[in-house]
Amino acid sequence: MTTTGTIRTSDPSLPERLLDLGAHFTRHHDALKLISTLKGLDLTKAVAEHIPVTQALARGSLDLRQRLDSASGNSPSWQARCAAERLMQLANLAVLAADHLGTAAGLSYKAVHHRPHLAKAEKHIECAKQLTSLGAVDCLTAAGLLARQLRRQNLIPAQRPPAHTAAQHTALHTVAAGHVVINQAVNKPLIERGQEQLAATTLRSLESRGLISRGHAAFPPGFERLCLTQDGIRALTAVLEQPRSSPPTTSRPAIRPTAARSAAR
């Protein structure tokens, strides 16, 4: 059931699934911010309980990679190859993050009696945050690549782009990238540094149309995380299909993680 009360009659497209995966990366990052503020056995318990969440991100990334490979066939397009590479990188980064959290759980338990271990545990938690911090951005970029390619091949249903202003288009992109929280005290958006500022009225207009919603932001206290609804994901996917003045970059820093052998453990 969608936010407007209509029944979804077809499975989400690959670009839509990518945007949904990006939202999971954002929630994961928020949770790690909160976990990093805990101490003692509370920290140990929270870290241990979050490891399966991180591993699920790896499995989700690999699952989408497999779906993409199946849809692309033996001659994948340049866009499909770039999206597939991003998904493989995300899977490996999530695996490494889970390994860091496993180490942090052990160190934080030792820190209950030997405090010097706490600083080491905190460093591993910070590494896990950094490894997965760009997950939503990468999913958004990959979704853009695939949306245009699949539309040209008639592999996703025809969909008329919604009538949005330029500011609303920007807001949908920024929310999907995990860059927006709302200050509950003054009901104003807080945008990550380096991102284009958004007017509160623009966000309220998208909320009223059921395209974005608020959820608890694990950090900082007193803020709500803005995320796309299922209708918002479909609306943004339709926007992503439109030509842009310049193609999105597909380069990332080189990484050398162990293959995603432990993603499903």
Side-chain angles (χ1 to χ4, degrees):
M1 188 73 69
T2 69
T3 56
T4 58
T6 58
I7 297 176
R8 176 78 171 178
T9 58
S10 60
D11 291 334
S13 65
L14 278 171
E16 291 172 4
R17 291 177 185 273
L18 274 162
L19 294 179
D20 186 61
L21 178 63
H24 284 290
F25 270 98
T26 296
R27 287 190 286 271
H28 169 269
H29 196 251
D30 284 345
L32 285 182
K33 287 181 178 179
L34 176 60
I35 288 171
S36 64
T37 66
L38 302 176
K39 304 294 180 185
L41 292 177
D42 288 339
L43 175 61
T44 303
K45 182 175 182 292
V47 172
E49 290 178 346
H50 197 68
I51 293 173
V53 177
T54 312
Q55 293 171 332
L57 291 177
R59 290 194 297 271
S61 301
L62 288 176
D63 177 65
L64 283 183
R65 165 67 189 264
Q66 292 170 355
R67 289 173 181 267
L68 177 55
D69 288 345
S70 297
S72 300
N74 296 326
S75 301
S77 65
W78 171 82
Q79 291 88 346
R81 290 197 304 272
C82 290
E85 288 172 4
R86 282 180 180 273
L87 285 167
M88 182 56 70
Q89 289 176 346
L90 284 174
N92 278 289
L93 291 170
V95 167
L96 287 175
D99 288 343
H100 277 287
L101 292 178
T103 302
L107 289 170
S108 64
Y109 181 77
K110 293 179 181 179
V112 174
H113 302 291
H114 302 282
R115 189 168 178 80
H117 288 295
L118 180 59
K120 297 178 181 179
E122 291 173 341
K123 287 182 179 179
H124 282 282
I125 295 172
E126 181 62 27
C127 284
K129 285 197 299 182
Q130 292 178 2
L131 285 167
T132 54
S133 64
L134 296 179
V137 176
D138 278 351
C139 286
L140 177 59
T141 300
L145 289 166
L146 285 181
R148 291 185 294 278
Q149 176 66 21
L150 295 177
R151 177 64 63 206
R152 286 196 294 267
Q153 296 176 323
N154 294 318
L155 295 178
I156 53 180
Q159 186 177 8
R160 176 178 295 180
H164 292 150
T165 66
Q168 289 172 330
H169 287 175
T170 298
L172 288 173
H173 279 81
T174 309
V175 169
H179 292 320
V180 190
V181 293
I182 294 290
N183 186 325
Q184 292 175 296
V186 296
N187 201 33
K188 288 186 177 181
L190 177 66
I191 316 299
E192 286 190 10
R193 183 178 301 174
Q195 303 301 314
E196 184 174 341
Q197 293 301 304
L198 305 175
T201 53
T202 300
L203 296 173
R204 284 197 295 269
S205 70
L206 294 174
E207 280 190 276
S208 68
R209 297 173 65 175
L211 300 181
I212 61 176
S213 63
R214 302 187 186 197
H216 174 66
F219 187 86
F223 286 79
E224 293 176 303
R225 166 68 62 188
L226 283 187
C227 57
L228 298 181
T229 64
Q230 289 304 309
D231 284 345
I233 286 176
R234 285 192 290 275
L236 179 55
T237 300
V239 175
L240 291 175
E241 296 160 13
Q242 304 310 301
R244 299 175 64 176
S245 57
S246 60
T249 178
T250 59
S251 62
R252 281 184 57 89
I255 58 171
R256 296 183 177 85
T258 304
R261 46 177 170 63
S262 55
R265 65 188 177 187

